Amino acid sequence: MSSATRASRTPPNHRPSQPPPQTASTTLSASLSSSRSQLSSTGGPSSSSSPMLRQSATRSNAVSGSPPAGARAQTQLASTMSPTSSGVPNSSSSGAAKSDSAPSLVEHLCATLVGPKAADRPTLVQYALRILASRITAPTSQDEFFTAEIIKKRFTRQQRTDDALRFAELFQKLGTKSVIQNKWAILYFLLSLSEESAARNASLLHASKDSILLSTSGLPVVQLPSVDQISSALLPTVASASSLAGSGSIETKAESSPLDNMALSQASIDRIHATRAIQAAELRSTSLGGLDEQVLLHDVLFAFQGIDGQYIKWNAILDRFTVDDRLAIAPPVHELVLKLVDLGWLFSKVQEFVQQCSAAPGSQGLLVQAFASALHLELTEFYRLVALLDSHVGHQTTEGNSSSPGLTLRRLAVWTVDPMERMRVLAALVDMCRGLRGGALVTRVHALSAHGDPLVQRTVKKLTNQLMVPIRAMLHRWLFDGELDDPHGEFFICVRPNVPNDRMWHDRYAVREAMMIEHVIPATLVHQILLIGKSINFLRSRAHDRDVEEQIHALKMATPVSTFEDDAKVIATTEALYAQTSRRVIDVMLQRYHLLDHLSAIRKFLLLGQGDFAQHLMFLTHEELAKPAASLYVHNLAGILESAVRATNAQYEPTAQLNRLGVKMLEVSPGDVGWDVFTLDYAIEHPLDLILSPAAMSRYLQLFHFLWRLKRIDFSLSTLWKELIVDFKQFKSMPEVMPVFQKFRVVANEMIHFVRQLHYYLLYEILECSWGELQRAIRQARDFDQLIAAHDKFLNSILAGALLSGSSQVTLGKLRGLLDLVLDFQQLHAALFQAADDELHRRAQSAEVAAAHTREGRWGTTTAEASSEAAHVAQFIQGPLEGASDQVSIIGATFKKLVIDFGVLLGATETNLPLKFLAVRIDFNEHYRRAGLQLYSDSAAAASAST
């Protein structure tokens, strides 16, 4: 990295802050804890660096150890604890000052512990003062329970179970002593003494297991040399001091004090630390094959940015950074470097994706650009980290302080743990989201928010917030303006501009399933969002309601896009707009466009719910509709319709509904009669066609044809029954026809019973019950979609009840066969009636001729005339009469068989409960059951009786 580049990226150097030294407290335990915590300084980045670097610095201290304290702090502490020449109070000092100084307190404590005349008392004084003057630091978490657990674990590892139990009892008693305040300092001091005693025979470069355990709880515990090693190191210095005293260069005392040895030990400790630093530098140099570590650090920082260095270069074949084979470095160092440069490989992958998105900003959509922008912000934060690391390398090179290694490869590995994880998450997202766009991109990114790692969760949450910025802007405009600003088709709602007006609500606006953001915006909320925009467009185009527009505009001013960053605010705003706009749309349809009145008119006229109107219209049209279809005219039928309206209670219906009622002729085919092409029509205009669509009206016409045919058969059977009553009076002079007409009466009675039961079922159990449910659903509807769904349910229930749905085609075929048989029966009766009437007229004429002959004085009939009359009677009986008798028997038997088959099909195949009960209603008097024929099961009869 060039100096110019480093200068442009590197912030001002940050030096570790060093707190001023403080004197020891009145107790040795407090002095030990306070001295450790106040004199230690970290070797990591300063407090002004980025958060992730500060977090890495904490881990670095735990691994690599704290650097030595400042020279000023050491000098001040040494001057505080040195003998007379170093600032120890002389005999002229006050007693209070002498008794309150740290050396005096330490000497008094040691004399109390081992006795004033003990041989090892000076050694213990030296050791305690050396601890106070050292850079050993206490753990950052000063927890007495944690320290007690360490002591108990140490006893357990040494298989000293009784001592562990005894210590637990003593610790419990210690907790009850309120006089002792700093219990943790006492435990930590005792533990430190135990560690030092156990480490006297160990190597200087190895720490005890308990020290390593303590280092994980805070700053590391530095292992100091033993007393014997320090004494041997101090021998030259003592000899030099003795020679100076003998020559009179310095003033000596008759009796040596332990403080003299302490001053000399402090200087030796400094030399030992300096020697250690030199040895560590030589060891690193040996591991690097003589290469300066700073050069390798610069190459690693270059690799972090995807740039080739002097020894670390990109290998396109291996798709990773590699170290120059000519560089002879130790395998552990080589492996550590390769792990570090993996961060550069991840960085290059993310940077490549960002550059691709930046090269074509308009082709991939706004959300892809937002994703690239969020990644760019993460890379910018990473650049700051690299610049800060480079500043530490430059600072170390400038100072050239060999005793303070500063930034090393191992520290760099610790400091880049979190950046490595964050970059790994970014690279994984780049691979997962490549080729995705719109809501699918947001869904894929947000899916990682369920990851267990808090670092991954924070990173994904930050990226998701950036990705949602374009979505929030589109959502805001759709909710308040009903407009879509989505040039790249990324929003989860789309518009189809070429949809006709009658399908505007159904098809013009729809939800893109592929762009749904289910984890961020649930499906129920998406449905409400869709309805809000559709309602606003409907009110703007049809209702022209200024009040609603002003209310929505006021809410828009109070709800800027920035408030949509809060999910609760989005939900609250959506629900408020949904309730307001949906209620207004329903009010417009019911009050301004009288939707319920139009549905009622359709029920009365097209579904023949107005009984007197349907009966009178049938009476007026049955002769006209029996004519060939080609001979009919619409205006003639329209006049008949108007007469039927004026002659019944239909005349009291609102004029707006009556004006929409008309006659329509279907397409005429050869052989059609008026019954086949006649139908009523009800005119619908926008916006009523949003509910009463052309498809819905065609199903209403299908229902009209079925009900009109059933009405025609009912009317024909009623007329036939009246004719049969007249026949018995008219043809009582012809006794041979009475048995045949009796057969007609029996079959007609069975047909009338079936048709009446079917008609009652359709008009009351299906039509009226469904109409009541429709009215309740309209009153409870919360939005226009529920209004449409209620009407569709009403129409579908009628179609299913009338066997006109797709699943009832077999049963409908049986029913049509029954109705056709009724029409054939009517024609048979008409033919027999005509033949009998002709025969009756012929016989009347013969009787008149015979009476005339008698009045003239002649025989009434001659033998020839009598023979001719007998031949005519025989021909009538053997011809039309016997033929009609046989045919009516066949029709009666066929009709009964079809009724049985129809009832069996209702019970076996139909799932509609009222249809199942129709078979029970047909045989309510058990006429068929007594004849050995069963239309329904006993369970169906019991269920029908219970309902």
Side-chain angles (χ1 to χ4, degrees):
M1 184 183 298
S2 64
S3 59
T5 304
R6 188 164 59 246
S8 62
R9 295 182 178 176
T10 305
N13 294 334
H14 299 281
R15 299 178 181 273
S17 60
Q18 300 176 355
Q22 299 178 4
T23 61
S25 62
T26 57
T27 61
L28 181 59
S29 59
S31 174
L32 175 62
S33 61
S34 61
S35 299
R36 288 178 176 176
S37 61
Q38 293 172 3
L39 294 177
S40 62
S41 60
T42 62
S46 64
S47 59
S48 61
S49 58
S50 63
M52 60 181 178
L53 192 55
R54 289 200 301 269
Q55 186 177 0
S56 301
T58 304
R59 299 183 182 178
S60 174
N61 291 334
V63 176
S64 59
S66 302
R72 178 186 174 193
Q74 297 180 13
T75 304
Q76 291 179 358
L77 185 61
S79 64
T80 304
M81 298 184 177
S82 62
T84 305
S85 59
S86 301
V88 175
N90 52 26
S91 59
S92 62
S93 302
S94 63
K98 182 175 181 180
S99 62
D100 291 341
S101 63
S104 300
L105 292 173
V106 170
E107 191 169 359
H108 178 70
L109 176 61
C110 293
T112 303
L113 293 174
V114 300
K117 296 182 180 181
D120 57 348
R121 182 178 62 81
T123 304
L124 292 177
V125 172
Q126 293 178 24
Y127 173 63
L129 292 177
R130 181 162 48 85
I131 290 177
L132 294 176
S134 68
R135 282 152 300 279
I136 302 175
T137 58
T140 56
S141 176
Q142 299 182 1
D143 189 351
E144 57 187 85
F145 297 99
F146 179 73
T147 308
E149 287 297 324
I150 292 176
I151 296 174
K152 286 191 288 186
K153 288 180 181 178
R154 182 171 181 178
F155 282 134
T156 304
R157 287 197 300 269
Q158 296 175 358
Q159 298 182 354
R160 298 166 59 184
T161 308
D162 295 338
D163 292 340
L165 295 175
R166 176 61 178 164
F167 172 77
E169 294 176 358
L170 294 175
F171 177 69
Q172 186 176 5
K173 293 180 180 180
L174 179 64
T176 61
K177 304 298 182 182
S178 59
V179 178
I180 302 175
Q181 298 295 330
N182 202 349
K183 300 180 181 62
W184 169 83
I186 296 175
L187 294 175
Y188 187 76
F189 174 68
L190 296 175
L191 179 61
S192 300
L193 290 176
S194 176
E195 289 175 346
E196 180 62 26
S197 176
R200 285 182 179 181
N201 297 325
S203 174
L204 288 175
L205 298 178
H206 295 82
S208 67
K209 294 182 180 180
D210 291 331
S211 300
I212 296 174
L213 183 59
L214 280 175
S215 67
T216 60
S217 65
L219 298 175
V221 176
V222 180
Q223 183 65 46
L224 295 176
S226 65
V227 176
D228 297 336
Q229 294 166 337
I230 294 179
S231 300
S232 62
L234 294 179
L235 288 177
T237 307
V238 173
S240 176
S242 300
S243 62
L244 290 175
S247 61
S249 300
I250 59 173
E251 180 181 356
T252 60
K253 294 185 178 181
E255 189 175 317
S256 176
S257 171
L259 298 179
D260 298 333
N261 294 332
M262 179 60 210
L264 295 175
S265 298
Q266 180 65 38
S268 298
I269 290 172
D270 293 339
R271 287 200 305 272
I272 290 172
H273 279 288
T275 303
R276 278 188 186 177
I278 295 173
Q279 291 175 353
E282 291 177 353
L283 182 61
R284 289 195 301 272
S285 179
T286 303
S287 301
L288 296 173
L291 178 66
D292 188 3
E293 188 175 12
Q294 309 306 312
V295 177
L296 198 56
L297 282 171
H298 277 296
D299 273 18
V300 172
L301 293 180
F302 277 128
F304 282 177
Q305 305 168 75
I307 305 173
D308 289 346
Q310 184 176 357
Y311 300 104
I312 301 175
K313 300 182 182 297
W314 175 259
N315 190 323
I317 299 176
L318 299 178
D319 191 28
R320 62 172 300 173
F321 282 98
T322 57
V323 181
D324 195 341
D325 296 336
R326 295 171 298 177
L327 191 62
I329 58 177
V333 177
H334 186 271
E335 183 178 357
L336 178 60
V337 171
L338 290 181
K339 288 182 179 179
L340 285 171
V341 297
D342 280 345
L343 180 57
W345 178 79
L346 297 172
F347 170 85
S348 300
K349 176 177 288 189
V350 177
Q351 187 184 43
E352 179 186 2
F353 178 80
V354 173
Q355 291 175 350
Q356 290 176 357
C357 295
S358 301
S363 60
Q364 299 180 352
L366 296 179
L367 266 70
V368 176
Q369 291 301 311
F371 183 49
S373 176
L375 294 177
H376 181 72
L377 292 177
E378 293 291 335
L379 295 182
T380 302
E381 187 70 19
F382 179 73
Y383 276 128
R384 293 193 183 100
L385 171 64
V386 173
L388 187 59
L389 293 173
D390 184 59
S391 69
H392 280 273
V393 175
H395 175 67
Q396 176 182 342
T397 305
T398 303
E399 289 187 351
N401 188 2
S402 61
S403 65
S404 178
L407 183 64
T408 63
L409 288 174
R410 292 192 178 276
R411 288 189 177 183
L412 183 61
V414 173
W415 290 355
T416 55
V417 168
D418 282 353
M420 179 78 78
E421 292 298 323
R422 184 177 287 105
M423 198 63 67
R424 184 173 287 112
V425 172
L426 298 180
L429 285 173
V430 166
D431 289 338
M432 292 168 53
C433 300
R434 195 179 298 275
L436 297 179
R437 54 192 299 273
L441 175 61
V442 181
T443 302
R444 183 65 61 86
V445 173
H446 190 270
L448 281 182
S449 62
H451 199 280
D453 191 347
L455 176 64
V456 178
Q457 292 179 0
R458 290 193 300 268
T459 304
V460 171
K461 183 178 180 180
K462 184 177 180 182
L463 292 175
T464 304
N465 288 335
Q466 293 290 331
L467 277 174
M468 287 298 295
V469 171
I471 294 292
R472 293 189 187 106
M474 298 177 192
L475 179 61
H476 189 271
R477 187 165 184 180
W478 172 255
L479 289 178
F480 292 102
D481 298 328
E483 299 175 358
L484 285 176
D485 186 11
D486 185 20
H488 302 285
E490 300 172 293
F491 197 48
F492 51 82
I493 295 175
C494 63
V495 59
R496 305 185 184 101
N498 298 325
V499 174
N501 287 336
D502 61 294
R503 300 299 301 174
M504 183 268 291
W505 187 272
H506 303 82
D507 300 333
R508 181 167 296 179
Y509 302 102
V511 175
R512 288 192 183 101
E513 297 293 338
M515 298 299 173
M516 288 277 290
I517 315 174
E518 297 181 358
H519 297 86
V520 182
I521 304 177
T524 54
L525 195 64
V526 169
H527 179 67
Q528 291 182 355
I529 291 171
L530 174 65
L531 289 182
I532 290 171
K534 291 164 67 173
S535 299
I536 291 176
N537 282 284
F538 173 79
L539 293 173
R540 182 184 295 119
S541 61
R542 302 304 305 176
H544 306 290
D545 197 333
R546 298 294 302 173
D547 294 338
V548 174
E549 293 182 4
E550 290 176 359
Q551 293 174 7
I552 295 177
H553 181 74
L555 186 58
K556 176 183 179 181
M557 293 296 100
T559 313
V561 180
S562 58
T563 59
F564 277 16
E565 295 180 1
D566 184 6
D567 293 340
K569 184 66 175 178
V570 174
I571 295 175
T573 304
T574 301
E575 291 179 349
L577 285 172
Y578 166 75
Q580 183 178 6
T581 56
S582 298
R583 186 69 259 172
R584 184 55 186 162
V585 170
I586 293 177
D587 291 343
V588 167
M589 292 299 296
L590 296 181
Q591 298 174 10
R592 180 177 300 184
Y593 293 104
H594 308 287
L595 173 63
L596 200 56
D597 294 339
H598 291 292
L599 291 174
S600 178
I602 291 175
R603 178 184 70 88
K604 292 178 179 179
F605 298 124
L606 296 189
L607 301 182
L608 306 181
Q610 186 78 27
D612 57 342
F613 165 79
Q615 185 70 23
H616 194 64
L617 181 64
M618 179 65 65
F619 177 76
L620 294 178
T621 58
H622 76 280
E623 293 182 357
E624 188 75 15
L625 296 180
K627 299 177 181 178
S631 63
L632 300 180
Y633 296 96
V634 175
H635 61 275
N636 292 336
L637 296 175
I640 296 175
L641 174 63
E642 186 175 356
S643 300
V645 169
R646 291 180 177 178
T648 59
N649 288 329
Q651 61 180 317
Y652 302 112
E653 292 295 319
T655 307
Q657 279 76 52
L658 293 177
N659 291 337
R660 297 173 181 270
L661 186 62
V663 175
K664 184 178 180 180
M665 298 288 290
L666 302 180
E667 184 178 355
V668 179
S669 299
D672 287 344
V673 295
W675 297 109
D676 300 323
V677 297
F678 172 79
T679 182
L680 294 181
D681 188 27
Y682 195 85
I684 296 295
E685 60 185 15
H686 193 72
L688 291 174
D689 57 358
L690 297 178
I691 294 181
L692 299 172
S693 61
M697 294 307 299
S698 65
R699 289 190 289 176
Y700 275 120
L701 294 182
Q702 183 182 4
L703 281 168
F704 172 79
H705 276 288
F706 178 77
L707 295 174
W708 183 248
R709 186 180 187 187
L710 188 61
K711 189 69 177 177
R712 171 195 175 189
I713 291 173
D714 182 45
F715 180 80
S716 300
L717 287 174
S718 298
T719 304
L720 176 62
W721 186 257
K722 295 176 183 179
E723 291 175 353
L724 287 174
I725 295 175
V726 174
D727 291 344
F728 272 89
K729 296 179 180 180
Q730 183 177 355
F731 299 108
K732 62 182 178 179
S733 60
M734 300 174 63
E736 67 272 16
V737 301
M738 290 296 108
V740 179
F741 280 122
Q742 181 61 28
K743 286 185 178 181
F744 271 94
R745 292 186 64 178
V746 172
V747 175
N749 183 56
E750 187 174 351
M751 289 182 175
I752 290 173
H753 168 72
F754 175 80
V755 173
R756 292 283 171 84
Q757 294 300 324
L758 180 62
H759 200 208
Y760 172 86
Y761 156 77
L762 289 173
L763 290 181
Y764 293 96
E765 293 191 10
I766 299 299
L767 182 58
E768 292 302 322
C769 293
S770 299
W771 174 250
E773 292 179 0
L774 174 62
Q775 289 178 312
R776 287 192 296 271
I778 288 177
R779 287 193 299 267
Q780 298 172 2
R782 297 180 57 210
D783 55 53
F784 194 56
D785 272 0
Q786 293 183 7
L787 208 62
I788 295 175
H791 174 259
D792 290 342
K793 182 181 179 181
F794 165 74
L795 192 53
N796 291 331
S797 65
I798 297 176
L799 288 170
L803 300 173
L804 296 177
S805 60
S807 60
S808 303
Q809 293 302 312
V810 177
T811 310
L812 180 63
K814 291 291 183 182
L815 180 59
R816 284 175 176 171
L818 282 168
L819 299 181
D820 290 339
L821 197 60
V822 173
L823 295 177
D824 294 341
F825 177 75
Q826 181 192 14
Q827 293 176 0
L828 178 61
H829 172 265
L832 178 59
F833 177 82
Q834 186 65 38
D837 187 63
D838 292 342
E839 179 65 17
L840 183 61
H841 282 80
R842 189 193 63 74
R843 291 182 182 185
Q845 291 177 359
S846 297
E848 290 178 0
V849 171
H853 289 174
T854 302
R855 286 193 300 269
E856 293 176 356
R858 296 184 299 166
W859 293 99
T861 57
T862 62
T863 304
E865 291 175 346
S867 300
S868 177
E869 179 66 22
H872 280 292
V873 171
Q875 184 180 2
F876 170 72
I877 294 174
Q878 296 174 1
L881 191 60
E882 290 183 356
S885 178
D886 295 339
Q887 289 184 18
V888 74
S889 299
I890 294 172
I891 289 176
T894 304
F895 184 83
K896 184 173 295 187
K897 181 178 182 303
L898 289 177
V899 169
I900 298 299
D901 294 342
F902 179 72
V904 171
L905 279 175
L906 288 178
T909 61
E910 295 300 328
T911 59
N912 194 346
L913 192 60
L915 274 175
K916 287 181 175 293
F917 295 158
L918 177 61
V920 180
R921 181 179 294 278
I922 291 173
D923 195 22
F924 73 95
N925 57 357
E926 298 185 352
H927 166 73
Y928 296 99
R929 183 180 290 265
R930 285 195 299 269
L933 303 174
Q934 189 169 357
L935 274 73
Y936 53 88
S937 61
D938 294 334
S939 59
S944 176
S946 64
T947 56

